[in-house]
Amino acid sequence: MGKWVYLFEEGNASMKDLLGGKGAGLAEMTNIGLPVPPGFTITTEVCNLYLENGDKVIEELWPMVLEKVKVIEERTGKKFGAQSGLPLLFSVRSGAKFSMPGMMDTVLNIGLNDEIVELFSKESGNPRLAYDSYRRLLQMFGDIVLGMGIHPFENELEIIKAQKGIKNDVELSVDDLKELVGRYKKIYESEGKVFPQDPFVQLKMAIEAVFKSWNVPRAISYRKINNIPDNLGTAVNVVSMVFGNMGDDSATGVAFTRDPKTGEKGVFGEYLLDAQGEDVVAGIRTPKPISDLKDDMPEVYNELLNICKVLEDHYKDMQDIEFTIEKGKLYMLQVRTGKRTPGAAVKLAMDFLKEGLISEEEAILRVEPSQVDFLLHPRIDVSSKLKSIAKGLGASPGAATGKVVFDADLAAKMGDEDVILVRPETVPDDIHGLAAAKGVLTARGGMTSHAAVVARGMGKPAVVGAESIKIDLNERSFTVNGETIKEFDVITIDGTSGNVFKGVAPLIMPELSEDLQDLLVLADKVAKIQVRANADTPEDARRSYEFGAKGIGLCRTEHMFMAQDRLPAMQEMIVAETIEERKAALEKLLPMQREDFYGIFKEMKGYPVIIRLLDPPLHEFLPKREILKEEIAQHEKSGEKELVEKKKRLLRRAETLKESNPMMGFRGCRLGLVYPEINEMQVRAILEAAAMVIKEGERVFPEIMVPLVGHINEIRLVREKLEEVAKEVISEQGVQIPYLFGTMIELPRAALRADEIAKYAKFFSFGTNDLTQMTFGFSRDDAESKFLPVYLERGILPVNPFQTLDRDGVGELMKIAVERGRCANADLEIGICGEHGGDPDSIAFCYEIGLNYVSCSPFRVPVARLAAARATILAKVRYESDK
Ligand code: ADP
Ligand code: MG
Ligand code: MG
């Protein structure tokens, strides 16, 4: 192991692994010349060692710490723990590699004791400062280092304020503060705890407490939710104190270099005069917007704006900063990349690109596919004129509806139910409840409160600081304007406008913002794998086209038969006992199918459209047998003979079509091989529709897909027959129609024999839903409802293979199919049309194995377009770093 302790000037931004995010940021700011109070960082490696070996590590570490303390003493001209001069005080702050907002704790003002506080008072000439700092130290040390909790201290603070008849902490006089110190000490006594008077003991214990905080439950649960590994450890930052609580020329604040909600330009933040540390985020007093600083301290305001610009130019991204102003002098205490809403992420990426700070590829990497997904979620229909019952700050946009729940534990226990967590304010311990809830509503807190920050990070709607709601945690209800909402009542929150509605509010489908469209155009330019959509209707096709799909990868024809006006004809076809009867029924279906295909072709304006021939087992088109039996009984009672006969016929057919395992039964190309007339009608409908479009002078590109092929003879026979139909239609119509025949690869055997199959298929489309079922031998519904959750919980499978493609098994079969298929036919067009086609990780895999396109549901198309570009870029980055 290398160096254990780094002075800020010895580190830099790239050392997050070792110094944690906070330490690396403080080091970087120090080195680019920004005003950071001197300090040093103990590495994450030391934390990990400590968690393994405990005390021994502290003893080994200690001399190194003392050495750095000496250096800081020289830098600041103050002494730590000395009996004369202005005392040096420290903050001890945790800081892991990934920012974990509010997860681990900070102790301020270390180095004060009963004597030094007097020295501090005298030397600074500011007794308020000294005693305010001391009571804060007692409070934080008791809470964080000795595990006494914050409540006894906060209680006492409330009591003294009530006794003195004051509202704000700042109104406490020096004597009040002295008294508070005394009362705090009594709390220690009554809890059998000792506050160490030796500053060095304080420092040592605080460092250990930070190490230990890595493993407190809320930190563990935060890591779990955010997929942060448990073995990273936290660094410890020891920073010389500066004081925002020295009066009205001092302040503490937090800011974002641009608006984290919208991405708009302009520094966005809050501050409090005469305050320290987390007073701003804790909502103790209502903070002022950063723009007020312009009047309060114009010079500092300008300096702050300037620093924000320097930081953005340096990090080339929006930053989240913490600062303190001590007697008119600005100090930077933290910098990190700012968390942002999905909408802001898109705007910031495009703005930084336009400002020339980042490249097109970087802009694409700045936005996660999941953020685009979020932007495509429905929003509240404002035209519905629903009256809001309360309004707070819209802290994280989007709409959420759910049952009101008043505590995090209960929210976490509600399982699949949609809940809205409603709290006076949230604290880090509520993290599991926030994770489980659809959205959060708080009565207190501002745009930088815990609930706001965490919700934005999770991409969940949040309304905070809705002060008109009065929450009664005992009654488990809240009231607003005379109306009472009880636990489990349903509300809707709008994190965009800050409105709260009773019940379920109507939602509207979103549209793509201009910035998002621009970003997706860039993505298309970069992506080396195309995106198509799965669309069964002209309406879906239109949406797909609007969302930028470059074709349809799967048009299922079965849904067309399910429509009210078509089902009877379909059922006639199914119960037909002779070919003639069947043909007669199909004749009725033909014009309907033709119309469907015509509509879809028109919407896709010449992009390829893959149409899958009838796939599901026929019994799916018949009513359930139990229902038929009931109906027969009813009709018999009322003496409707004809209906009885008709239903009996359906029932008989349903009985013969009954299968013990429909997933592997009489479906797919097997249907067409036994009843070729169905496929013939479909191909005729497709090509006649195509001919109509061509005659209108437009382009069309139908691709006809045969489902569930496992053997070369299946595709060969189906195709031979259908080619005859195609020839017929073309000669009837007298126009050339560019069409292709191809197949789905959804059976392991098809993947293995892809070279043979490719002789009769011009394209392959991986049907990975079935392929996953058949490869694992899982039937999806049974798996997902019975054992898959257990598998996932116990880590038997890392992810649900129906959501994210199983690269090792199913993926291996796909690779084989690609290789063997292209070996037989180099021009083979290959895509994927299973649900995986919209999953970013699966898309990356499809790109890696050389597919031409992915196809997903229309609403996933924008997500997939971004994912396709990111996969292309990231593969290039990996390739270059491997070289
Ligand atoms: P968190 O990780 O929860 O943000 P920090 O370590 O950033 O915790 O500390 C919280 C706040 O404490 C900071 O935002 C800052 O206001 C205050 N603080 C920390 N160190 C110092 C210091 N050396 N001087 C003054 N204030 C400090
Ligand atoms: Mg904190
Ligand atoms: Mg902080």
Side-chain angles (χ1 to χ4, degrees):
M1 212 171 88
K3 209 168 148 75
W4 285 27
V5 187
Y6 287 75
L7 288 168
F8 290 160
E9 53 266 51
E10 294 172 326
N12 65 57
S14 72
M15 295 168 72
K16 278 192 187 174
D17 281 334
L18 211 53
L19 304 180
K22 202 178 282 170
L26 288 165
E28 189 76 10
M29 287 198 291
T30 302
N31 285 320
I32 59 176
L34 298 183
V36 176
F40 56 89
T41 305
I42 303 164
T43 71
T44 54
E45 289 180 349
V46 181
C47 171
N48 283 332
L49 268 193
Y50 173 83
L51 292 175
E52 278 165 35
N53 296 324
D55 298 348
K56 224 181 86 209
V57 177
I58 288 290
E59 292 321 314
E60 212 174 315
L61 170 69
W62 193 240
M64 306 179 202
V65 168
L66 293 180
E67 191 187 306
K68 300 298 180 201
V69 169
K70 281 251 149 51
V71 179
I72 307 300
E73 285 177 340
E74 278 159 28
R75 297 275 157 85
T76 56
K78 300 178 188 171
K79 283 243 173 268
F80 185 68
Q83 307 300 318
S84 64
L86 200 56
L88 174 62
L89 305 184
F90 284 122
S91 64
V92 171
R93 317 166 63 189
S94 66
K97 175 174 181 186
F98 299 106
S99 92
M100 299 170 55
M103 290 321 298
M104 279 175 302
D105 290 303
T106 294
V107 184
L108 305 179
N109 306 323
I110 287 187
L112 288 174
N113 60 22
D114 292 348
E115 280 151 36
I116 296 177
V117 70
E118 300 210 0
L119 183 69
F120 188 31
S121 165
K122 202 173 79 217
E123 292 284 333
S124 68
N126 190 336
R128 250 207 113 254
L129 164 71
Y131 286 95
D132 185 47
S133 302
Y134 193 30
R135 67 97 184 165
R136 286 170 189 270
L137 171 62
L138 286 167
Q139 193 171 317
M140 284 184 261
F141 200 91
D143 173 18
I144 294 156
V145 182
L146 299 178
M148 296 158 69
I150 192 76
H151 300 294
F153 299 103
E154 282 194 333
N155 245 350
E156 207 52 60
L157 186 60
E158 286 309 312
I159 293 172
I160 202 167
K161 283 197 310 203
Q163 286 169 347
K164 308 283 165 179
I166 55 176
K167 230 181 111 211
N168 282 326
D169 301 3
V170 274
E171 295 164 47
L172 291 168
S173 67
V174 175
D175 285 336
D176 296 340
L177 289 166
K178 282 185 181 167
E179 186 173 340
L180 194 57
V181 165
R183 294 193 191 183
Y184 278 180
K185 286 187 181 160
K186 290 235 169 67
I187 298 175
Y188 275 79
E189 263 170 45
S190 71
E191 305 239 337
K193 304 275 183 187
V194 179
F195 174 75
Q197 287 287 321
D198 181 344
F200 289 93
V201 175
Q202 292 169 13
L203 182 59
K204 202 176 195 176
M205 288 175 73
I207 291 171
E208 271 193 88
V210 171
F211 286 155
K212 285 185 192 146
S213 76
W214 179 253
N215 280 335
V216 300
R218 73 184 189 207
I220 294 173
S221 114
Y222 185 91
R223 290 200 292 272
K224 203 164 178 184
I225 291 160
N226 292 283
N227 282 325
I228 297 173
D230 280 329
N231 62 357
L232 297 177
T234 177
V236 184
N237 301 288
V238 180
V239 190
S240 50
M241 283 298 298
V242 290
F243 299 95
N245 51 340
M246 289 186 84
D248 277 347
D249 54 357
S250 302
T252 177
V254 298
F256 292 86
T257 55
R258 300 190 191 195
D259 189 331
K261 192 176 152 198
T262 62
E264 291 297 332
K265 276 190 201 174
V267 176
F268 177 94
E270 295 165 331
Y271 69 101
L272 269 180
L273 291 177
D274 197 8
Q276 191 180 59
E278 302 206 301
D279 290 2
V280 181
V281 277
I284 288 170
R285 275 177 279 154
T286 306
K288 295 181 169 195
I290 209 81
S291 51
D292 285 10
L293 192 63
K294 200 172 174 176
D295 300 325
D296 281 342
M297 301 180 206
E299 271 169 35
V300 178
Y301 178 73
N302 284 335
E303 192 188 354
L304 186 69
L305 292 198
N306 197 28
I307 286 178
C308 286
K309 170 115 184 38
V310 168
L311 285 171
E312 276 199 351
D313 287 349
H314 187 75
Y315 283 104
K316 307 195 188 311
D317 201 350
M318 185 262 280
Q319 300 298 306
D320 168 355
I321 60 170
E322 296 175 6
F323 62 89
T324 282
I325 303 163
E326 175 182 302
K327 290 189 146 308
K329 168 137 182 52
L330 178 63
Y331 290 96
M332 299 302 293
L333 289 170
Q334 190 168 332
V335 66
R336 63 188 159 197
T337 301
K339 287 204 195 299
R340 62 206 63 195
T341 63
V346 172
K347 178 161 174 53
L348 289 169
M350 292 312 290
D351 282 355
F352 278 94
L353 172 68
K354 285 178 211 150
E355 287 162 34
L357 285 168
I358 59 174
S359 68
E360 290 185 351
E361 295 197 343
E362 273 165 350
I364 289 167
L365 293 179
R366 285 280 167 93
V367 182
E368 297 283 338
S370 61
Q371 292 176 312
V372 173
D373 183 34
F374 176 83
L375 291 173
L376 296 171
H377 283 173
R379 295 170 200 190
I380 287 176
D381 182 0
V382 281
S383 68
S384 76
K385 303 252 158 51
L386 201 72
K387 242 188 83 209
S388 93
I389 53 169
K391 192 164 162 55
L393 302 169
S396 182
T401 300
K403 292 183 173 171
V404 168
V405 159
F406 289 104
D407 71 77
D409 288 342
L410 182 57
K413 274 194 216 119
M414 296 277 285
D416 283 345
E417 291 210 65
D418 291 350
V419 301
I420 306 289
L421 180 64
V422 180
R423 295 286 305 164
E425 69 214 322
T426 66
V427 294
D429 283 326
D430 293 331
I431 191 86
H432 57 302
L434 282 160
K438 284 275 169 241
V440 57
L441 167 64
T442 69
R444 288 202 292 270
M447 296 297 277
T448 55
S449 66
H450 178 262
V453 172
V454 174
R456 280 199 292 270
M458 291 181 172
K460 285 193 181 175
V463 174
V464 302
E467 293 181 2
S468 61
I469 71 170
K470 300 279 169 273
I471 301 179
D472 187 331
L473 292 175
N474 292 323
E475 286 294 316
R476 304 200 79 84
S477 67
F478 71 80
T479 50
V480 55
N481 298 327
E483 188 151 16
T484 301
I485 307 282
K486 296 196 293 291
E487 194 151 47
F488 307 126
D489 285 352
V490 173
I491 60 168
T492 300
I493 59 167
D494 180 358
T496 312
S497 66
N499 282 305
V500 181
F501 303 92
K502 205 173 146 179
V504 182
L507 303 178
I508 44 168
M509 291 303 162
E511 279 171 18
L512 304 189
S513 71
E514 215 169 284
D515 280 317
L516 181 52
Q517 298 206 26
D518 291 348
L519 181 75
L520 293 175
V521 168
L522 289 185
D524 292 345
K525 207 167 79 181
V526 168
K528 292 248 163 49
I529 179 166
Q530 277 194 345
V531 178
R532 295 190 188 179
N534 299 347
D536 303 341
T537 62
E539 200 192 336
D540 275 358
R542 183 178 329 127
R543 176 157 292 143
S544 306
Y545 187 87
E546 279 167 10
F547 279 171
K550 295 283 187 290
I552 289 184
L554 176 65
C555 169
R556 302 178 198 85
T557 51
E558 50 268 24
H559 294 189
M560 300 174 180
F561 297 124
M562 294 286 188
Q564 281 290 308
D565 52 333
R566 297 157 184 213
L567 200 54
M570 186 67 185
Q571 292 178 347
E572 249 174 67
M573 194 277 293
I574 293 171
V575 295
E577 275 157 16
T578 63
I579 295 197
E580 285 65 39
E581 273 179 18
R582 190 173 311 119
K583 281 197 168 155
L586 287 165
E587 278 302 311
K588 289 190 202 162
L589 291 168
L590 174 70
M592 301 175 183
Q593 284 258 279
R594 191 169 53 214
E595 192 190 326
D596 294 328
F597 298 140
Y598 173 80
I600 291 172
F601 291 152
K602 291 288 268 194
E603 295 294 350
M604 292 314 291
K605 304 186 179 19
Y607 280 133
V609 176
I610 295 186
I611 297 165
R612 180 174 73 185
L613 300 177
L614 193 67
D615 180 50
L618 294 179
H619 67 75
E620 284 192 11
F621 299 97
L622 299 180
K624 288 218 160 41
R625 279 172 297 138
E626 306 75 67
I627 294 180
L628 279 171
K629 283 180 193 160
E630 262 171 45
E631 284 177 345
I632 292 170
Q634 292 241 316
H635 295 320
E636 273 173 345
K637 240 193 236 156
S638 56
E640 291 165 285
K641 278 225 173 83
E642 227 173 89
L643 279 176
V644 172
E645 270 320 300
K646 196 177 153 217
K647 299 274 151 130
K648 278 196 169 164
R649 222 173 144 206
L650 281 176
L651 180 62
R652 275 200 302 277
R653 194 68 178 120
E655 297 282 0
T656 53
L657 287 173
K658 194 181 113 187
E659 291 180 302
S660 48
N661 197 340
M663 182 188 72
M664 299 200 277
F666 186 32
R667 53 171 287 222
C669 68
R670 302 157 197 176
L671 288 173
L673 285 162
V674 176
Y675 301 125
E677 307 80 23
I678 305 176
N679 282 353
E680 287 168 29
M681 180 279 284
Q682 291 200 297
V683 169
R684 179 165 276 279
I686 293 167
L687 296 180
E688 286 182 1
M692 285 165 68
V693 176
I694 291 170
K695 285 176 188 170
E696 289 171 17
E698 287 175 41
R699 289 181 342 126
V700 62
F701 204 79
E703 304 186 39
I704 301 164
M705 181 154 76
V706 183
L708 216 72
V709 165
H711 194 282
I712 179 176
N713 288 341
E714 292 176 317
I715 177 89
R716 183 171 60 80
L717 288 171
V718 170
R719 177 155 174 206
E720 275 168 10
K721 191 95 194 168
L722 296 177
E723 286 285 7
E724 280 170 28
V725 178
K727 263 206 206 99
E728 236 172 75
V729 177
I730 288 173
S731 86
E732 283 164 22
Q733 296 291 327
V735 287
Q736 277 310 314
I737 306 170
Y739 67 92
L740 297 179
F741 271 107
T743 185
M744 274 180 100
I745 301 290
E746 50 189 334
L747 296 174
R749 192 180 192 287
L752 297 172
R753 306 303 289 174
D755 43 349
E756 287 179 329
I757 290 171
K759 289 189 194 128
Y760 292 93
K762 289 267 195 278
F763 66 88
F764 281 176
S765 175
F766 287 106
T768 47
N769 296 350
D770 271 322
L771 191 58
T772 301
Q773 296 201 89
M774 301 294 183
T775 303
F776 276 92
F778 289 171
S779 90
R780 180 171 184 171
D781 291 346
D782 295 321
E784 288 188 336
S785 68
K786 302 207 169 66
F787 58 86
L788 208 49
V790 179
Y791 269 42
L792 295 175
E793 202 180 294
R794 299 199 5 217
I796 298 172
L797 285 179
V799 287
N800 179 347
F802 293 105
Q803 273 163 18
T804 296
L805 206 93
D806 160 48
R807 291 177 178 231
D808 301 339
V810 178
E812 187 69 14
L813 281 169
M814 292 170 71
K815 256 198 244 169
I816 290 172
V818 171
E819 268 166 35
R820 295 188 183 169
R822 290 233 170 94
C823 209
N825 173 3
D827 299 329
L828 193 68
E829 172 196 277
I830 309 180
I832 176 176
C833 62
E835 262 167 70
H836 300 102
D839 169 64
D841 184 64
S842 310
I843 292 171
F845 179 75
C846 291
Y847 166 69
E848 286 160 31
I849 63 169
L851 300 203
N852 301 94
Y853 69 85
V854 296
S855 187
C856 56
S857 72
F859 272 105
R860 294 294 293 184
V861 165
V863 178
R865 288 165 74 193
L866 182 69
R870 289 169 56 99
T872 308
I873 297 166
L874 291 172
K876 195 170 91 185
V877 171
R878 271 201 307 277
Y879 175 75
E880 272 159 15
S881 74
D882 284 352
K883 250 195 327 200

